[in-house]
Amino acid sequence: MKIALVGIGKIAVDQHVPAIAASDDWELAATVSRHGSVEGVEAFDDFDAMLAARSDIRVVSLCLPPVPRFEYAAKAIRAGRHVMLEKPPGATLAECHMLERMAHAHGVSIYATWHSREADKVSAAKKWLSDKTLNSLHVTWKEDVRRWHPGQEWVWEPGGMGVFDPGINALSIVTEILPDDVHLKSAYLDIPSNKQTPIGAALEFVHPTGAAVTADFDWRQTGDQIWMIEAVTEQGTLTLTDGGARILIDGIEDAVQSENPLHGEYPNLYAKMARLVTNGGVDMDLRPMVHVSDALALGRRTAVEPFYE
Amino acid sequence: MKIALVGIGKIAVDQHVPAIAASDDWELAATVSRHGSVEGVEAFDDFDAMLAARSDIRVVSLCLPPVPRFEYAAKAIRAGRHVMLEKPPGATLAECHMLERMAHAHGVSIYATWHSREADKVSAAKKWLSDKTLNSLHVTWKEDVRRWHPGQEWVWEPGGMGVFDPGINALSIVTEILPDDVHLKSAYLDIPSNKQTPIGAALEFVHPTGAAVTADFDWRQTGDQIWMIEAVTEQGTLTLTDGGARILIDGIEDAVQSENPLHGEYPNLYAKMARLVTNGGVDMDLRPMVHVSDALALGRRTAVEPFYE
């Protein structure tokens, strides 16, 4: 199937282009970008022009930042194209709901991707937790913003989500692996006094059986970087670490078999998109974004020292 | 039909009790409250005890504040009771989604009420706008917090929503009367330096045909109180004022016929709940809350002078 990639920035070059190239399902048939392009692929700088010129391309993958993404997605759907969205699927929840309704109305597929859910050991964690009794789950997601987002001033602007930009990856895994849905009970947000978005967040969720479900997100972590989820159950303790790449049960590495074909986060996303288009499905799971929105809407804000890069 | 009222505070006494009393559909069969009660009606102070003792009561109306409401609603649904929710339907969007799924799973009705939608002229405004071409819509919702929320410290706490507590009423009308859905483009929030929630907000929405849809909410209004929505169309200007109680077309009062039976906001809500239960429906329109959540999550915050009552 032919696909067009829109927004040729770092994530497109590092992840999307190689994943498409390695796939038997997809042929990268066009790019749309003001600056970037991919060698040997027809390059457009105008999205409308691409839609008009290339009616043979039925699928569009959007790797633009969340704020302008809605307009592109809406145009693609109105033009009868299937749409794949980088995370988060939009700037607002209202626009995501609207895209889902539009996709149904136009009979096209839409896929809100969550790449961290495709990390190697996430499906094994989900399977292991499916028949366990949960006592507690704690997320520790601590990284150095200076190292991972150098010069990216937009993460501190409204809509940039601050530490929820990585934190939403953790929440996409939690909502995938837990058999029961949770909802936010309280959130504490540390906001640098010269910024709009949090540099740290502590969340507490309500779990239907009363398990303690909590998360600590921090962008001030120097030294070792931590992307870890620990679930304590009646039947043992699961540790998912390195962002989902490693799994331990009671401290023993790979004690459970991985279900994933192990070909990487973005190749898995593109394989899922191929199945979705073939089967005519819609996959718009907004739960990670709902939790972030709930936390930003309800969180108790504390001003902390200003942040300078 | 027998109904139990949970949370006997000011809104219950002023609105819910008279509306139920005036209705041919309903009989107030029990109350649940730590402090309040209604003369001649069996009073419980424990919700579980009421559910256990009164299996003849199939419908529960919850007028508690949003934060504790989820637990009551979940218990009621699990006990097979139909549930009616005061606005906003919960503290978080995640819990509202969960209640909706639970209601479907248990085969009961749930109704997220928006009382302002039942104001006398809202349905006339909806009908008039249904075939017009919108150029702009502006909401002006300005009231004096000292007058309407005396001593209510919770409105300034996370989850209390600040000026969105009245503002969500305006948004419930806007989402009802506009034929097209909008989504938030930007929000500016004025936060008193000693509080957590906004005292003022300016919102701008994206409309599918490019109409300018904006809102100004302010809690610092002394003198005349303003609850007004003005929609400028190619075919004339609609003004809905006094919170939906008055309608003008090109400045002429009552130029259009009201569709409402005119028996008041809460009587209309209870009439709708009766139909919902009879027909086995679910009415969980979360759009007003999604817009507030989007605004609180994405809004640019400015600290303004501290607020003291």
Side-chain angles (χ1 to χ4, degrees):
Chain A
M1 282 182 284
K2 291 177 186 169
I3 192 167
L5 201 51
V6 183
I8 308 298
K10 182 169 163 51
I11 189 78
V13 171
D14 289 354
Q15 301 289 350
H16 290 259
V17 172
I20 293 169
S23 167
D24 292 336
D25 296 317
W26 298 106
E27 173 199 342
L28 183 57
T31 60
V32 183
S33 181
R34 272 176 300 177
H35 308 294
S37 64
V38 174
E39 210 188 306
V41 177
E42 186 177 11
F44 292 83
D45 58 8
D46 183 81
F47 189 57
D48 294 323
M50 190 281 291
L51 289 174
R54 297 297 305 267
S55 61
D56 58 319
I57 302 176
R58 307 308 304 166
V59 184
V60 169
S61 179
L62 302 179
C63 332
L64 306 150
V67 170
R69 206 181 294 151
F70 171 80
E71 207 184 322
Y72 286 78
K75 278 181 178 177
I77 293 170
R78 281 195 291 261
R81 308 308 214 277
H82 308 287
V83 174
M84 183 167 162
L85 301 165
E86 246 299 349
K87 69 98 191 175
T92 63
L93 285 166
E95 73 188 58
C96 294
H97 293 306
M98 209 178 301
L99 289 178
E100 187 173 355
R101 284 194 297 272
M102 288 176 66
H104 282 292
H106 286 79
V108 299
S109 291
I110 189 164
Y111 181 18
T113 68
W114 301 103
H115 65 81
S116 291
R117 286 184 176 174
E118 307 303 326
D120 286 347
K121 308 298 181 183
V122 170
S123 62
K126 178 177 183 163
K127 190 179 176 192
W128 190 84
L129 281 170
S130 64
D131 58 0
K132 304 298 185 292
T133 306
L134 191 71
N135 290 331
S136 68
L137 181 144
H138 185 68
V139 176
T140 310
W141 222 254
K142 296 187 174 183
E143 59 175 52
D144 183 352
V145 63
R146 291 182 175 85
R147 185 162 148 195
W148 302 101
H149 293 275
Q152 291 182 20
E153 194 49 39
W154 64 269
V155 299
W156 300 111
E157 290 295 300
M161 296 203 301
V163 75
F164 288 106
D165 180 77
I168 204 170
N169 294 336
L171 294 171
S172 76
I173 296 176
V174 170
T175 48
E176 174 70 12
I177 65 177
L178 274 188
D180 295 299
D181 277 331
V182 295
H183 61 96
L184 193 77
K185 183 177 179 183
S186 67
Y188 292 85
L189 309 177
D190 286 347
I191 318 273
S193 59
N194 60 338
K195 302 293 182 189
Q196 285 283 327
T197 58
I199 196 166
L203 313 183
E204 189 182 349
F205 293 90
V206 179
H207 183 271
T209 66
V213 176
T214 50
D216 276 313
F217 300 151
D218 209 311
W219 251 354
R220 292 161 293 199
Q221 177 81 2
T222 52
D224 281 350
Q225 308 288 288
I226 307 173
W227 300 285
M228 187 168 72
I229 298 171
E230 190 173 67
V232 179
T233 78
E234 294 287 331
Q235 294 86 6
T237 296
L238 174 147
T239 309
L240 193 62
T241 186
D242 295 15
R246 292 174 57 203
I247 192 170
L248 299 92
I249 305 295
D250 294 328
I252 299 165
E253 183 115 27
D254 285 326
V256 287
Q257 207 56 41
S258 173
E259 298 289 300
N260 251 14
L262 286 178
H263 53 18
E265 296 185 4
Y266 282 81
N268 283 338
L269 292 180
Y270 276 94
K272 284 197 173 176
M273 183 64 185
R275 289 199 294 278
L276 209 61
V277 170
T278 304
N279 300 329
V282 164
D283 186 342
M284 200 77 177
D285 181 2
L286 300 179
R287 288 176 299 161
M289 191 169 162
V290 166
H291 290 317
V292 171
S293 187
D294 282 341
L296 286 170
L298 303 181
R300 182 177 294 277
R301 285 168 155 78
T302 304
V304 298
E305 56 177 312
F307 177 83
Y308 302 103
E309 197 167 325
Chain B
M1 284 180 282
K2 292 176 185 169
I3 192 167
L5 202 52
V6 183
I8 308 298
K10 183 168 163 51
I11 189 80
V13 172
D14 289 353
Q15 301 290 350
H16 292 258
V17 171
I20 293 168
S23 166
D24 292 335
D25 297 315
W26 299 105
E27 173 199 343
L28 182 58
T31 61
V32 183
S33 181
R34 272 176 300 176
H35 309 295
S37 65
V38 175
E39 209 186 307
V41 177
E42 187 178 10
F44 292 83
D45 58 6
D46 182 81
F47 189 57
D48 295 322
M50 189 282 288
L51 290 174
R54 295 299 303 269
S55 60
D56 58 317
I57 302 176
R58 306 309 302 166
V59 184
V60 170
S61 179
L62 301 179
C63 333
L64 306 148
V67 170
R69 206 181 293 151
F70 171 80
E71 207 183 325
Y72 287 77
K75 277 181 180 178
I77 293 170
R78 281 195 291 263
R81 306 311 213 277
H82 308 285
V83 174
M84 183 167 163
L85 300 164
E86 247 297 349
K87 69 99 194 177
T92 63
L93 285 165
E95 73 188 58
C96 294
H97 293 306
M98 208 177 303
L99 289 178
E100 187 172 357
R101 285 194 297 273
M102 288 176 66
H104 283 292
H106 286 79
V108 299
S109 291
I110 188 164
Y111 181 18
T113 67
W114 300 104
H115 64 81
S116 290
R117 286 184 176 173
E118 307 303 325
D120 285 349
K121 308 297 182 182
V122 170
S123 61
K126 178 178 182 162
K127 190 179 176 192
W128 189 84
L129 281 171
S130 65
D131 58 1
K132 304 298 186 292
T133 305
L134 191 70
N135 290 332
S136 67
L137 180 145
H138 184 67
V139 176
T140 309
W141 223 253
K142 297 187 175 184
E143 58 175 52
D144 182 353
V145 62
R146 290 181 175 86
R147 183 162 151 196
W148 300 101
H149 294 275
Q152 292 182 21
E153 195 49 40
W154 63 269
V155 300
W156 300 110
E157 289 295 300
M161 298 202 300
V163 76
F164 288 105
D165 181 78
I168 202 168
N169 294 335
L171 294 172
S172 76
I173 296 176
V174 170
T175 49
E176 175 70 12
I177 65 177
L178 273 189
D180 295 298
D181 277 331
V182 295
H183 61 95
L184 193 76
K185 183 178 180 182
S186 68
Y188 291 85
L189 310 176
D190 286 347
I191 318 274
S193 58
N194 60 338
K195 302 294 183 191
Q196 285 282 327
T197 57
I199 197 166
L203 313 183
E204 188 183 350
F205 292 91
V206 178
H207 183 273
T209 66
V213 177
T214 50
D216 275 312
F217 301 151
D218 208 311
W219 252 355
R220 293 160 293 198
Q221 177 82 1
T222 53
D224 281 350
Q225 308 287 288
I226 308 173
W227 301 284
M228 186 169 73
I229 298 170
E230 189 174 68
V232 179
T233 77
E234 294 287 331
Q235 294 87 6
T237 295
L238 175 146
T239 308
L240 193 61
T241 186
D242 295 16
R246 292 174 57 204
I247 191 169
L248 300 92
I249 305 294
D250 294 328
I252 299 165
E253 184 116 29
D254 285 326
V256 286
Q257 207 56 41
S258 173
E259 297 291 300
N260 253 13
L262 289 178
H263 52 19
E265 297 186 3
Y266 282 82
N268 283 336
L269 292 180
Y270 276 94
K272 284 198 172 175
M273 183 65 184
R275 289 199 295 277
L276 209 60
V277 170
T278 304
N279 301 330
V282 164
D283 186 342
M284 199 77 176
D285 181 3
L286 300 178
R287 288 176 299 163
M289 191 168 162
V290 166
H291 289 317
V292 170
S293 188
D294 282 340
L296 286 169
L298 303 182
R300 182 176 294 278
R301 286 168 156 76
T302 304
V304 298
E305 58 178 310
F307 177 83
Y308 301 103
E309 196 167 326

